[in-house]
Amino acid sequence: MNYQITIKKAYTVDEIEGYWTSDDYIKLLEKFDYPDAGDSDPATLKELLFMAISDFEPKDAAVIALEYKLSENLNEGQIQQVSNDMLLDKVCEEYPEIGLHATLFHVNQLLFKAYNGTFPNAKATIIECSFVPLEEESEIELTKASILKLLNNGLLGSNLIKRLFDLPMTENLPFPEAEDILWEVRSTDNSNFMIITSEYWLSKGDIIASEFEGILEIALDVE
């Protein structure tokens, strides 16, 4: 299927609004030894957490935050290692398991802001775009993989996704990594989308056209 792709807006952010909830703040405050956090004004929870975090050494704070979010994914030794590495590098871009990049980004940015620096500042990219089929064929539900394939023609050749996943991006092949490369995809009509990913994977500067066509090959069922 041929699609007309329009990039309406692309911008960089250092946090994803709404990721951390009031419940998260309350639970983290308790872990950072702030009593009765649940009785606090919800509007003040974030600032209270930042103050509570700043009473701890950065590495110790990283361990607490990582255990809160990733204790089911990382063992104690891995958490200790990541907490060390976070002070030196953007682990949320370099960790070998890309499925953890999004959560590591959110933890990193929480700590970055709590300490007014200290931790490296990572960025996310948000793209608002539309995908409109050019043929009068039945519209299919776009997946993360198909969205990345359709974006291919509008990206620089040096883009990291294109360099690492050339064949899945350009041919009718499975692309399971797309589930982790795109952190979040929001749409109410399967036409207009908000895409959230890491600047590491896709920066605003990687987009070379605001309007272009893309081809999505649909695998046919073989009986």
Side-chain angles (χ1 to χ4, degrees):
M1 290 182 65
N2 294 320
Y3 279 79
Q4 176 67 33
I5 297 98
T6 301
I7 306 297
K8 301 176 182 178
K9 187 185 297 185
Y11 51 100
T12 302
V13 297
D14 61 5
E15 69 175 316
I16 307 301
E17 293 185 8
Y19 175 80
W20 296 104
T21 66
S22 293
D23 186 56
D24 285 322
Y25 291 142
I26 290 170
K27 289 178 179 176
L28 280 168
L29 277 163
E30 292 172 352
K31 291 182 179 296
F32 282 99
D33 299 333
Y34 187 95
D36 303 319
D39 297 330
S40 303
D41 181 350
T44 67
L45 288 173
K46 185 175 182 180
E47 291 305 317
L48 288 174
L49 177 59
F50 285 175
M51 288 189 292
I53 288 175
S54 65
D55 287 337
F56 286 70
E57 289 298 317
K59 182 187 180 302
D60 296 334
V63 169
I64 293 171
L66 287 166
E67 287 177 342
Y68 175 69
K69 290 301 297 183
L70 289 169
S71 60
E72 294 183 1
N73 305 93
L74 302 174
N75 60 39
E76 183 178 349
Q78 290 171 318
I79 286 176
Q80 291 291 333
Q81 184 63 56
V82 172
S83 67
N84 280 322
D85 294 343
M86 286 179 70
L87 288 161
L88 305 172
D89 302 302
K90 296 180 183 179
V91 177
C92 57
E93 297 178 356
E94 301 172 1
Y95 199 72
E97 293 182 38
I98 64 175
L100 300 184
H101 282 196
T103 304
L104 288 169
F105 167 83
H106 296 301
V107 171
N108 185 90
Q109 292 310 102
L110 183 77
L111 296 168
F112 170 80
K113 295 197 171 188
Y115 287 102
N116 293 314
T118 303
F119 291 83
N121 188 18
K123 300 291 181 65
T125 300
I126 298 179
I127 302 171
E128 297 178 15
C129 55
S130 65
F131 302 91
V132 179
L134 297 177
E135 295 95 357
E136 295 183 1
E137 300 180 30
S138 300
E139 185 176 346
I140 64 168
E141 184 174 353
L142 295 179
T143 64
K144 289 182 178 181
S146 55
I147 285 171
L148 281 178
K149 291 170 185 279
L150 287 172
L151 288 175
N152 183 72
N153 289 345
L155 302 180
L156 280 172
S158 59
N159 168 259
L160 184 61
I161 305 170
K162 294 182 70 166
R163 288 192 285 114
L164 292 182
F165 303 103
D166 176 61
L167 289 179
M169 284 285 281
T170 57
E171 299 185 13
N172 187 19
L173 295 172
F175 192 4
E177 295 86 357
E179 290 296 318
D180 297 322
I181 292 171
L182 295 185
W183 295 349
E184 191 173 350
V185 172
R186 304 174 186 174
S187 179
T188 58
D189 58 8
N190 198 44
S191 178
N192 296 288
F193 288 82
M194 174 183 283
I195 300 166
I196 303 174
T197 185
S198 171
E199 185 183 48
Y200 168 77
W201 288 114
L202 178 54
S203 71
K204 180 180 177 180
D206 285 333
I207 301 171
I208 58 175
S210 58
E211 294 187 8
F212 53 95
E213 291 188 12
I215 299 176
L216 183 62
E217 296 185 28
I218 307 302
L220 299 176
D221 293 330
V222 179
E223 296 183 359

